[in-house]
Amino acid sequence: METLRILHTNDLHSHFEHFPKIGRYLKQAQADKSVDQILTFDAGDFMDRSHPLTDATFGQANIDLMNSFHYDAITIGNNEGISNSHEVVERLFDRAKFPVILANLREEDESMPHWCVQDKLLITKKGTRIALVGLTAAYPLSYKPNHWHVKMLKETMDQVLPRLAGKYDVLILLTHIGLNMDRFLARHYPQINLIIGGHSHNLLKHGEQVNGVWLTQTGKWGNYVGNIHVELDDHHHVQKIVPCVESTSLMKAEKADEKVIQGYEQRGQEILEKEKVADLPAKFADNRQAAIQVSLDAIANFAGTDLAMLSSGLFLAPFKKGILTKYDLQKCLPHSMHVVRSTLRGSDLWRLVMEIEKNRHYLEHFHLQGMSFRGKIFGQMYYRGIKFDPVSRIVYVNGQEIDPQTDYQIAVLDHYVLVPFFPTLAIVGDNKFLFPQFLREVIGNYLAQEYPINRK
């Protein structure tokens, strides 16, 4: 008989406030002598550019901390693969002391990225062969403009599993695809023993079994750590899988923790404050509307459009008079979102405006539950180049009544394409996701041009 203890995390999202406790828990658990072997995995979104230290170091601080957690393997989430430029991802794992398992991402020429492998075979001390396969969320609209080729899940599994057949005793998937897609894999590939998942932020305190396959997920932000007990017979066959989670809030805190956590924030702040962006005039002093208006100009300029729209809830703080640093921008707009150039027929643009106006009062105070990394509330929608007459229901574009048959281009955000409030954008919009700059980088570059430092 053989016993394994599998520790796992997912969707840490740079919530460094939990890292001291998690680090101590993993170190103690990894020294457990009551089982034959301990394995430690992460299922993606370990980083989030909304934290100053992650942003300032392009995720390298996260890699250093993950090294201290002694992972045996990880996969990546959309926050690693999409929220970073292609160049940043290529260098992200240079210092990693763990393998990255990822079967469904390729370079544009469909070659394997140098920083990952599609699967890996682990041999335990007692000779059990464990096959690991990694999968990340397949978002072609976002990966393609970032110069990656992402493969669909079924296509990937149908290629990988036949190649692994007969080479393993236990099959474990590290996935960042969400619980529904984990269930899909369990229903269609019963040879899987265990899926350690992430992305949808589900908390499965005691796992979930689908078609004989165990699914696990620990919620989000490091609030819980996964702890799975596995028993195998002398022929290396799985006899029992018992998932559970450990609450980080119940883990013992130490006096130095708060200082360490504050140090992460301070270190990121110090790096970002050294990078000055623009010298803003007095009209920006604590004026949120001024920040929104110049940001509309910025995304329109970036997308090459006359029209643009932005919601006020994205702006967590106004800009300020005087020197604006990258830290100021990061605190105002921490979200790792991208500009989208959407082409719409005039009749469809009219419908989009109607969707916005219909939902305006509802969205003004709508709490972004589950999407809080894009602000706390949705807020008011602001337009550039668009006016709406609520009495006549006429939409004006650059002062002229909209032509139902003319094509128009408008700068929006990937957020607006993905949320359910504006179906017109997702259903009929010809949407081009613009990479690699984030929203705050687009705005920062525009402000640097319009209000350069040391201008005369």
Side-chain angles (χ1 to χ4, degrees):
M1 182 170 174
E2 181 179 11
T3 55
L4 304 176
R5 185 176 180 183
I6 297 177
L7 309 168
H8 60 101
T9 54
N10 62 266
D11 294 280
L12 295 177
H13 283 278
S14 292
H15 275 258
F16 295 132
E17 68 271 20
H18 294 314
F19 276 37
K21 285 185 174 182
I22 292 173
R24 283 194 299 272
Y25 172 79
L26 291 177
K27 184 177 181 179
Q28 182 180 14
Q30 287 160 353
D32 182 6
K33 302 298 184 184
S34 68
V35 295
D36 293 305
Q37 196 158 342
I38 298 100
L39 299 171
T40 309
F41 302 120
D42 182 81
D45 272 6
F46 59 84
M47 65 174 288
D48 196 314
R49 296 283 291 270
S50 64
H51 193 284
L53 182 58
T54 302
D55 198 38
T57 64
F58 297 97
Q60 291 302 318
N62 297 67
I63 297 298
D64 292 340
L65 287 165
M66 292 183 76
N67 284 338
S68 72
F69 289 174
H70 300 290
Y71 287 106
D72 289 282
I74 73 158
T75 195
I76 72 163
N78 45 290
N79 264 271
E80 288 83 50
I82 296 173
S83 296
N84 294 303
S85 70
H86 191 104
E87 291 72 23
V88 168
V89 180
E90 290 281 10
R91 301 190 301 270
L92 182 59
F93 300 100
D94 286 353
R95 300 205 302 257
K97 296 178 181 178
F98 46 80
V100 180
I101 317 295
L102 186 56
N104 66 322
L105 195 69
R106 298 289 187 273
E107 300 283 0
E108 281 185 307
D109 62 3
E110 299 202 23
S111 63
M112 197 73 195
H114 71 89
W115 46 268
C116 66
V117 294
Q118 67 175 7
D119 53 75
K120 184 176 180 61
L121 199 63
L122 298 180
I123 310 296
T124 69
K125 296 172 184 176
K126 287 196 170 184
T128 298
R129 301 169 300 169
I130 300 176
L132 299 174
V133 178
L135 297 168
T136 197
Y139 292 143
L141 286 176
S142 298
Y143 272 111
K144 186 175 180 180
N146 206 19
H147 307 293
W148 297 108
H149 172 68
V150 67
K151 299 169 64 177
M152 297 298 103
L153 301 178
K154 188 176 186 305
E155 172 196 2
T156 303
M157 293 294 286
D158 289 346
Q159 290 176 353
V160 172
L161 292 188
R163 194 176 60 78
L164 289 175
K167 298 178 181 178
Y168 63 85
D169 304 301
V170 180
L171 178 58
I172 298 176
L173 267 57
L174 306 180
T175 70
H176 194 87
I177 59 178
L179 183 57
N180 285 338
M181 293 310 300
D182 284 339
R183 289 168 175 159
F184 168 85
L185 294 179
R187 287 194 299 269
H188 289 83
Y189 303 97
Q191 61 267 57
I192 301 168
N193 296 103
L194 173 65
I195 298 177
I196 295 172
H199 187 50
S200 53
H201 297 183
N202 293 97
L203 175 60
L204 304 178
K205 287 189 175 181
H206 300 287
E208 176 179 312
Q209 198 170 28
V210 176
N211 196 26
V213 179
W214 277 102
L215 315 180
T216 63
Q217 199 173 146
T218 66
K220 62 181 180 180
W221 300 351
N223 292 327
Y224 293 86
V225 176
N227 182 13
I228 306 168
H229 178 77
V230 181
E231 293 182 6
L232 304 103
D233 63 21
D234 292 336
H235 301 288
H236 310 295
H237 299 146
V238 173
Q239 298 299 301
K240 184 187 292 186
I241 294 178
V242 183
C244 68
V245 297
E246 308 294 340
S247 174
T248 308
S249 65
L250 299 179
M251 297 174 189
K252 185 180 178 181
E254 293 188 358
K255 290 182 179 179
D257 287 356
E258 195 58 39
K259 185 176 180 181
V260 170
I261 294 163
Q262 290 175 356
Y264 295 143
E265 179 89 19
Q266 184 176 351
R267 182 177 154 211
Q269 179 177 346
E270 289 171 352
I271 296 171
L272 292 175
E273 281 184 334
K274 291 177 182 177
E275 300 193 55
K276 298 176 175 60
V277 176
D279 187 1
L280 300 184
K283 71 176 184 178
F284 286 103
D286 297 323
N287 187 334
R288 198 178 299 257
Q289 279 211 331
I292 295 170
Q293 292 300 329
V294 77
S295 298
L296 285 165
D297 292 339
I299 67 170
N301 176 265
F302 181 69
T305 66
D306 292 328
L307 313 180
M309 67 184 202
L310 284 173
S311 51
S312 61
L314 294 175
F315 294 79
L316 302 192
F319 297 158
K320 64 179 184 179
K321 176 188 174 184
I323 298 298
L324 185 81
T325 69
K326 282 192 174 182
Y327 180 71
D328 296 320
L329 273 175
Q330 211 272 345
K331 296 302 288 182
C332 177
L333 293 161
H335 339 287
S336 53
M337 54 178 59
H338 294 90
V339 177
V340 174
R341 181 171 58 244
S342 185
T343 303
L344 292 163
R345 186 66 60 90
S347 56
D348 294 322
L349 179 60
W350 179 88
R351 184 184 295 110
L352 172 63
V353 174
M354 293 304 110
E355 290 167 353
I356 293 169
E357 298 303 325
K358 173 182 177 294
N359 292 318
R360 180 174 290 278
H361 296 300
Y362 171 75
L363 292 174
E364 181 178 3
H365 302 291
F366 177 76
H367 288 272
L368 292 169
Q369 197 167 19
M371 298 177 283
S372 56
F373 47 89
R374 292 183 172 96
K376 296 179 180 179
I377 61 169
F378 191 90
Q380 285 281 358
M381 185 67 81
Y382 287 79
Y383 302 118
R384 181 186 192 271
I386 293 174
K387 292 191 180 300
F388 169 65
D389 185 333
V391 177
S392 65
R393 291 165 60 88
I394 294 175
V395 174
Y396 296 91
V397 176
N398 293 327
Q400 302 294 317
E401 184 174 346
I402 197 167
D403 181 354
Q405 301 304 317
T406 297
D407 285 343
Y408 297 90
Q409 291 187 325
I410 181 170
V412 301
L413 301 179
D414 53 8
H415 183 44
Y416 305 144
V417 178
L418 299 174
V419 295
F421 307 127
F422 316 125
T424 293
L425 272 178
I427 295 170
V428 296
D430 181 6
N431 300 313
K432 182 173 178 58
F433 289 63
L434 305 179
F435 280 76
Q437 291 90 346
F438 292 157
L439 174 63
R440 66 174 171 273
E441 293 172 330
V442 169
I443 294 169
N445 291 340
Y446 184 81
L447 291 173
Q449 292 176 353
E450 294 297 309
Y451 306 104
I453 298 171
N454 298 325
R455 68 184 187 276
K456 294 182 180 179

